[in-house]
């Protein structure tokens, strides 16, 4: 265990704060078990921008803005902001869409998966199994030579646009222009105070950029490096912190039934997260990591973010997202379409590599 | 930045004018047709929601009156009559669940409540005008355990199993979370 490594301590700090904020934001008003959930927040934000019509899911989440702008500030301060990109744009865009399909069928991103587990939601175990299997499958693909090429430094300002878009989002949050929608009921209306959400987002954005912490990255590196992987310890600390915080705030209710934002279709939870894990390995990080990378000037991650926003709108507008009642038929079809998409790209990617 | 020629100067001027214009228009917030349209959209959304609530209260007023008088059977007949005109309306299902629960038909009441909430999750929101959160919580409090025993105990009853699934759905909805 690399105890004295600065990076290691940064990862631990980021993990502790992720666990604390993940629980605290829910206590302060965010939906239960959704103190931090990239997919839920993107669905809310897509609704706020008028991209779907679910009136219960419309709120421009300040946490998302904070993640990107925090990463931008940190990258600028550390002279790490580099405009880069140019690798498999269409595949990344569509990967973003299918990432949201997988998350919507499970009801949550990988961070929320762990937040659900640490609150005692045992239905999330199937999602965890799916995520692990997906990451493992993705790694097998990487080992076989499949993978999107690395982003290269680009001329011009390709990497500036996503941070700029989120900067405009920040202005919109305070100006509240008339084209934005804000839910007055449902989970979109549940939110922590704006400045606290924004502050937590900025702080986590800075730390995630510095530490490179990522849930699927932790699992991927653990498969590769075992206990020597510092991200594994980050993940462990995140889980322990969130569990302790849930216990301390009375939000720990172990069981299968009556869990917030959960359903009992375990097979589809597993497949949804399998898709998320597999795609995350191929595109180099989970939805949270894509936001952080987009803030650092990575235009490829920026395209994934745009794809995720589009996917968030689609899952709500087309009724693909699961609810406590279960997974809708076309949600299941969409997950299978996502698996077909990633399988086809793996096959064609390997062929191109050969 | 070095301004080497008129080309650069022209584009810099264009950038400054475009940004300045966008900022002035964006922050002035008046006189723009887009703003007017946007306002209307939010207003339309709120109006439609309130109009829907008022309409439902109006349509189901006779049912609620019968329920107040304790004439539950007539209320069920009236609900069936309204359902022929507005099939699949969630509020009707909610009232049906309320009546059936009062009549002691727990399994049917659970089915009606669950169907109502599936159609309109507002019914479990604490602040919603037609919220039935408290009565659903009361139903869960008293009936979940007995229904579970009938569903998984000796002589498993298929109807109790369905009711258990409905009650668990309602339980999850009451717990909150994203949807």
């Amino acid at each position: 265990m690399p105890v004295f490594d600065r990076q290691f301590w940064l990862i631990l700090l980021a993990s502790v704060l992720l666990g604390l904020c993940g629980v605290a934001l829910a206590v302060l008003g965010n939906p239960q078990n959704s103190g931090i959930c990239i997919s839920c927040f993107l669905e809310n934000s897509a609704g706020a921008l008028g991209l779907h019509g679910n009136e219960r899911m419309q709120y421009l989440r300040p946490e998302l803005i904070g993640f990107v702008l925090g990463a931008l500030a940190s990258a600028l301060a550390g002279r790490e902001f580099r405009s880069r990109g140019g690798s498999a744009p269409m595949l990344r865009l569509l990967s973003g869409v299918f990432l949201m399909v997988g998350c919507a069928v499970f009801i949550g991103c990988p961070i929320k998966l762990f937040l659900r587990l640490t609150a005692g939601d045992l239905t999330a175990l199937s999602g965890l199994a799916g995520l692990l299997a997906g990451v493992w499958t993705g790694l097998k693909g990487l080992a076989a030579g499949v993978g999107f090429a690395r982003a290269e430094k680009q001329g011009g300002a390709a990497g500036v646009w996503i941070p700029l878009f989120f900067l405009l989002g920040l202005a919109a949050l305070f100006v509240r222009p008339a084209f934005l929608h804000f839910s007055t009921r449902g989970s979109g209306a549940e939110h922590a105070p704006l400045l606290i959400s924004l502050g937590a987002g900025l702080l986590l954005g800075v730390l995630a950029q510095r530490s490179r912490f990522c849930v699927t990255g932790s699992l991927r590196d653990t498969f590769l490096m075992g206990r020597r992987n510092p991200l594994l310890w980050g993940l462990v600390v995140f889980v322990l912190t969130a569990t302790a915080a849930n216990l301390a705030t009375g939000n720990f209710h172990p069981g299968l039934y009556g869990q917030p934002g959960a359903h009992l279709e375990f097979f589809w939870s597993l497949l949804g997260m399998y898709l998320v894990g597999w795609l995350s390995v191929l595109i180099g990080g989970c939805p949270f990591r894509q936001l952080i990378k987009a803030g650092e000037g990575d235009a490829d991650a920026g395209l994934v973010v745009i794809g995720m926003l589009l996917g968030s709108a689609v899952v709500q507008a087309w009724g693909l997202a699961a609810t406590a009642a279960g997974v809708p038929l076309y949600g299941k079809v969409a997950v299978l379409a996502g698996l077909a998409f990633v399988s086809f790209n793996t096959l064609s990617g390997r062929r191109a590599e050969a | 930045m070095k301004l080497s020629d008129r080309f650069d100067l022209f584009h810099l001027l264009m950038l400054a004018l475009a940004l300045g214009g966008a900022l002035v228009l964006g922050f002035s917030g008046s006189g723009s047709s887009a703003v007017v349209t946007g306002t209307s959209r939010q207003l339309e959304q709120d109006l439609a929601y309130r109009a829907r609530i008022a309409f439902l209260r109006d349509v189901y007023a006779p049912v609620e009156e019968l329920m107040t008088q304790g004439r539950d059977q007539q209320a069920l007949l009236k609900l069936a009559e309204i359902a022929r005109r507005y099939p699949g309306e969630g509020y009707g299902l909610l009232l049906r669940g309320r009546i059936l629960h009062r009549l002691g038909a727990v399994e049917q009441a659970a089915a009606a409540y669950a169907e109502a909430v599936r159609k309109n999750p507002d019914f479990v929101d604490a602040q919603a005008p037609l919220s039935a959160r408290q009565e659903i919580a009361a139903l869960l409090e008293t009936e979940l355990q007995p229904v579970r025993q009938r569903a998984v105990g000796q002589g498993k009853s298929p109807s109790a199993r369905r009711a258990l699934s409905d009650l668990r759905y309602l339980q999850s909805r009451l717990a909150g979370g994203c949807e």
Side-chain angles (χ1 to χ4, degrees):
Chain A
M1 189 163 62
V3 177
F4 299 109
D5 182 26
R6 183 172 164 269
Q7 184 70 9
F8 177 78
W9 291 109
L10 261 177
I11 290 169
L12 291 198
L13 181 61
S15 312
V16 167
L17 282 171
L18 190 65
L20 286 178
C21 290
V23 176
L25 288 171
V27 172
L28 291 170
N30 278 5
Q32 202 62 29
N33 288 359
S34 306
I36 294 172
C37 172
I38 307 303
S39 58
C40 302
F41 289 178
L42 279 165
E43 286 172 36
N44 288 164
S45 300
L49 295 170
L51 300 179
H52 67 70
N54 184 348
E55 292 174 16
R56 298 170 55 82
M57 291 283 276
Q58 297 170 336
Y59 181 54
L60 194 60
R61 290 276 174 193
E63 294 90 344
L64 287 183
I65 294 168
F67 294 150
V68 174
L69 297 185
L72 170 72
S74 169
L76 287 173
R79 298 188 178 183
E80 290 181 334
F81 185 89
R82 278 182 199 88
S83 199
R84 55 192 192 271
S87 148
M90 182 55 81
L91 298 187
R92 287 183 192 275
L93 183 83
L94 291 174
S95 295
V97 173
F98 283 117
L99 269 179
M100 288 301 105
V101 167
C103 290
V105 163
F106 170 71
I107 317 188
C109 69
I111 291 179
K112 182 169 167 178
L113 186 159
F114 282 98
L115 287 176
R116 279 174 57 179
L117 274 176
T118 57
D121 179 355
L122 299 180
T123 66
L125 282 172
S126 57
L128 179 63
L131 188 70
L132 286 168
V135 169
W136 185 81
T137 310
L139 268 176
K140 286 284 169 195
L142 288 184
V146 180
F148 304 155
R150 286 187 76 84
E152 289 177 6
K153 191 175 175 187
Q154 286 198 317
V160 167
W161 293 105
I162 290 293
L164 200 62
F165 175 72
F166 278 85
L167 206 57
L168 285 174
L170 180 66
L173 206 53
F174 288 101
V175 174
R176 295 219 170 194
F179 57 79
L180 283 187
H181 296 270
F182 291 93
S183 293
T184 51
R185 58 192 195 281
S187 58
E190 294 176 29
H191 52 81
L194 191 154
L195 290 179
I196 293 179
S197 299
L198 187 62
L202 284 167
L203 186 63
L204 288 172
V206 168
L207 284 168
Q209 195 277 330
R210 286 274 133 209
S211 66
R212 272 78 174 159
F213 182 72
C214 163
V215 170
T216 53
S218 309
L219 299 175
R220 178 199 60 201
D221 290 0
T222 304
F223 278 126
L224 289 172
M225 299 159 62
R227 279 185 300 168
R228 284 175 299 142
N229 162 34
L231 287 174
L232 167 68
W233 297 101
L235 188 62
V236 169
V237 165
F238 164 52
V239 168
L240 291 176
T241 309
T243 307
N246 273 316
L247 282 166
T249 53
N251 285 319
F252 184 77
H253 305 291
L256 277 175
Y257 306 112
Q259 296 293 347
H263 59 76
L264 298 172
E265 298 198 32
F266 305 123
F267 177 69
W268 290 101
S269 287
L270 185 142
L271 276 194
M273 274 293 130
Y274 180 68
L275 177 60
V276 171
W278 192 354
L279 278 171
S280 295
V281 170
L282 290 183
I283 61 176
C286 64
F288 178 63
R289 182 80 188 124
Q290 297 299 326
L291 284 169
I292 301 300
K293 279 163 61 173
E296 295 173 345
D298 188 332
D300 287 345
L303 260 182
V304 178
V305 170
I306 292 172
M308 291 198 297
L309 193 64
L310 186 63
S312 305
V314 164
V315 297
Q316 284 294 328
W318 295 357
L320 309 180
T323 65
V327 184
L329 174 68
Y330 289 109
K332 296 172 182 173
V333 172
V335 167
L336 294 177
L339 290 173
F341 164 80
V342 69
S343 305
F344 179 77
N345 284 312
T346 300
L347 284 172
S348 59
R350 190 175 190 197
R351 215 167 276 249
E353 191 73 20
Chain B
M1 187 191 291
K2 206 170 172 182
L3 297 178
S4 53
D5 53 19
R6 283 184 188 174
F7 182 86
D8 283 356
L9 197 62
F10 170 78
H11 286 90
L12 195 65
L13 191 66
M14 186 63 86
L15 177 68
L17 282 174
L19 274 180
L23 284 174
V24 168
L25 285 177
F27 282 95
S28 66
S30 62
S32 156
S33 59
V35 168
V36 175
T37 311
T39 308
S40 308
R41 234 186 327 167
Q42 184 74 55
L43 190 65
E44 288 299 328
Q45 188 172 298
D46 292 348
L47 277 175
Y49 179 64
R50 281 165 198 251
R52 182 184 163 83
I53 302 294
F55 176 74
L56 289 177
R57 282 196 166 128
D58 191 37
V59 167
Y60 289 97
V63 179
E64 298 200 59
E65 202 177 313
L66 287 167
M67 287 169 69
T68 314
Q69 293 165 7
R71 295 158 66 192
D72 287 339
Q73 297 296 348
Q74 285 92 332
L76 282 174
L77 288 172
K78 189 71 188 169
L79 272 178
E81 186 190 317
I82 296 172
R84 281 196 290 278
R85 189 172 167 82
Y86 306 111
E89 169 48 50
Y91 192 52
L93 288 163
L94 192 78
L95 293 176
R96 186 177 158 76
R98 196 172 288 168
I99 297 169
L100 290 170
H101 186 204
R102 271 197 340 202
L103 293 173
V106 174
E107 291 169 9
Q108 292 87 337
Y113 275 128
E115 190 56 26
V117 176
R118 277 191 194 105
K119 284 184 187 298
N120 189 351
D122 288 359
F123 296 141
V124 285
D125 283 0
Q127 309 298 333
L130 301 178
S131 174
R133 188 180 176 85
Q134 286 188 345
E135 66 193 68
I136 292 174
L139 174 80
L140 287 167
E141 179 81 27
T142 55
E143 305 298 343
L144 185 59
Q145 197 59 20
V147 169
R148 199 179 75 84
Q149 278 167 0
R150 287 202 298 279
V152 300
Q154 277 189 327
K156 295 171 188 169
S157 146
S159 67
R161 281 175 128 178
R162 275 195 300 276
L164 182 62
S165 161
D166 288 332
L167 289 174
R168 280 178 173 157
Y169 165 67
L170 290 169
Q171 200 186 8
S172 182
R173 271 295 188 190
L174 282 187
C178 273
E179 49 212 272

